Amino acid sequence: VESFDQPHLLEIYHVIGTEETEVKTTSGKVEDFITPNRELEKVIKAKGFPYFYEEFEGNHTWKYWQPDLKRALINMFS
């Protein structure tokens, strides 16, 4: 992201749950997702990407992602 020099070519929709601090990955490891995503948000904003970022209360499960699906699709395809 830091070396990408054409941010106008992308539009990014970036949503993360505030409780995504201990996410079990497919490799079986447990990882913190929220901290690196917050750092990424800072870099993306500084680069000037067309960008939507939001943190929601919840974790990395479909229960929390499903309600945002309509907004994500509208944002990506409008």
Side-chain angles (χ1 to χ4, degrees), residues 19-69:
E19 296 172 24
E20 293 191 49
T21 55
E22 295 182 4
V23 179
K24 187 173 181 181
T25 65
T26 55
S27 67
K29 294 181 182 179
V30 175
E31 300 204 23
D32 173 14
F33 280 15
I34 189 75
T35 301
N37 276 274
R38 285 176 173 162
E39 292 300 316
L40 179 60
E41 184 237 356
K42 293 175 190 174
V43 174
I44 291 172
K45 279 189 173 178
K47 294 290 284 192
F49 285 85
Y51 185 51
F52 176 86
Y53 177 82
E54 184 173 276
E55 294 181 8
F56 63 87
E57 289 187 35
N59 60 30
H60 199 77
T61 59
W62 183 241
K63 173 184 175 181
Y64 295 102
W65 288 98
Q66 185 178 17
D68 190 53
L69 189 56

Side-chain angles (χ1 to χ4, degrees), residues 3 6 9-10 12-13 21 29-30 36 41 47 57 64 71 73 78:
S3 65
Q6 297 182 350
L9 295 177
L10 298 173
I12 299 173
Y13 185 86
T21 55
K29 294 181 182 179
V30 175
E41 184 237 356
K47 294 290 284 192
E57 289 187 35
Y64 295 102
R71 181 179 67 171
L73 292 171
S78 63

